[in-house]
Amino acid sequence: MSTDIEITVADGVQVLRFLRAGKKNAFTGAMYNAMSAALDAAESNEAIAVHVFIGSGGVFSAGNDINDFLRRAEASAEGGGADGIPAPSLDFIRRLPKVGKPMIAAVDGLAVGIGTTLLFHCDLVYATPSASLRTPFLDLGLVQEAGSSILAPERLGYPLAFELICLGEPFSAERALRAGLINAIVPAAELEATALTAARRLVAKPRQALISSRRLLRRGHAAIASVIDEEANSYKELMASAEAREAFTAFLEKRPPDFAKARKAR
Ligand code: COA
């Protein structure tokens, strides 16, 4: 079990707390596996009615660990049969539209990549004034994931979805609230209590009716599983590109990427 994530259950609420603040809570394979196992186990566990995702150290999550992306990209370049999104991450993503119980996110600080696209799958999202949502997929030479090809335009409308996904524009808490991405902005000191209070209100509801109501609210989302596969196929192609490799390497070497040079060296 990863020590970078703490998963606890109390009073019907399963809390998944990211504890990798030194790396801005970037998700490792072990963290994804722990989240997948916890979401799976909860489906048949009467003691759990609701999930709450929360960060630590003033950060929600900096998204997928870029070291894992670089390893996949290098394996692809060497013809090693690597195939795009790392397996633990894709397994987790594939679960998201299948989760039956409500999910709540408590977002303080940065929510990058899957840190933002996870929010599209949550039923309630609370954020602090310092929250900043960003999906720099394109700048990494990649495409969006987790079904956000459908969920972002549905939630935000096309123009704002394009700004988020393709321009990589950060959305402040205020803008995210106006855009309908989050439910409320609350002071950092009240974030966890706000999320837990909402979770406990859901715990107190008739359980089967809650799960059915949520499923019905999401019934238009039948295409999400197949769009997740389409997104994963694009990852497969793009992960092998010189530009993606350059983007990952540049981030880890703390320098701006040189895409033109990477293309020429191809
Ligand atoms: N993968 C791996 N390591 C990451 C990471 C990620 N996604 N995000 C942050 N880190 C690491 C940094 O490499 C750094 O490690 P180091 O201290 O060993 O050098 C540490 O976390 C702190 O990050 P740093 O960049 O110094 O903090 P910052 O406050 O200046 O910037 C971010 C924070 C999140 C804006 C910046 O780290 C970032 O852009 N991260 C990448 C986000 C991303 O592209 N995610 C993938 C989306 S698909």
Side-chain angles (χ1 to χ4, degrees):
M1 189 53 78
S2 170
T3 52
D4 293 327
I5 183 161
E6 177 190 73
I7 299 173
T8 52
V9 178
D11 304 329
V13 184
Q14 173 159 269
V15 177
L16 299 95
R17 191 183 305 272
F18 316 138
L19 290 178
R20 203 180 175 223
K23 296 287 183 184
K24 305 285 172 190
N25 293 329
F27 294 156
T28 60
M31 291 167 80
Y32 283 118
N33 286 339
M35 288 192 277
S36 293
L39 292 175
D40 274 3
E43 290 296 309
S44 57
N45 185 348
E46 294 271 313
I48 298 171
V50 181
H51 308 283
V52 173
F53 294 99
I54 189 162
S56 61
V59 184
F60 186 65
S61 173
N64 204 100
D65 191 299
I66 291 184
N67 291 288
D68 287 347
F69 277 170
L70 182 61
R71 274 192 287 276
R72 300 295 275 192
E74 284 172 344
S76 288
E78 288 157 15
D83 57 354
I85 302 179
S89 163
L90 188 55
D91 285 350
F92 173 70
I93 285 170
R94 285 199 168 119
R95 260 175 194 82
L96 290 174
K98 296 182 185 148
V99 171
K101 296 180 178 175
M103 296 190 281
I104 297 177
V107 180
D108 186 26
L110 288 165
V112 186
I114 184 89
T116 286
T117 56
L118 169 62
L119 306 182
F120 291 129
H121 295 269
C122 289
D123 303 285
L124 293 167
V125 181
Y126 300 102
T128 66
S130 76
S132 178
L133 279 46
R134 195 158 65 83
T135 61
F137 300 114
L138 225 83
D139 296 328
L140 290 171
L142 300 171
V143 291
Q144 62 278 15
E145 33 66 324
S148 50
S149 304
I150 289 179
L151 294 169
E154 177 192 278
R155 191 71 58 85
L156 299 167
Y158 189 83
L160 292 191
F162 196 86
E163 275 187 42
L164 178 78
I165 302 278
C166 292
L167 264 187
E169 192 79 9
F171 275 50
S172 65
E174 279 294 343
R175 192 170 190 215
L177 182 67
R178 281 198 305 276
L181 264 174
I182 62 176
N183 291 80
I185 302 175
V186 298
E190 292 167 25
L191 179 68
E192 186 163 345
T194 304
L196 289 176
T197 300
R200 289 188 192 118
R201 284 180 62 194
L202 292 174
V203 172
K205 302 279 182 198
R207 186 75 49 89
Q208 195 49 49
L210 170 65
I211 290 170
S212 296
S213 173
R214 179 179 186 273
R215 192 187 62 242
L216 288 164
L217 281 170
R218 292 171 173 266
R219 67 184 286 281
H221 288 175
I224 290 191
S226 67
V227 91
I228 284 175
D229 287 342
E230 278 181 54
E231 292 165 349
N233 284 338
S234 289
Y235 258 76
K236 255 184 225 178
E237 285 165 28
L238 293 167
M239 201 70 116
S241 75
E243 285 159 310
R245 243 180 2 266
E246 167 61 8
F248 308 149
T249 309
F251 170 75
L252 294 169
E253 290 176 355
K254 300 184 190 294
R255 61 170 174 81
D258 186 341
F259 293 123
K261 193 170 157 201
R263 277 192 298 271
K264 262 190 228 139
R266 192 168 37 193

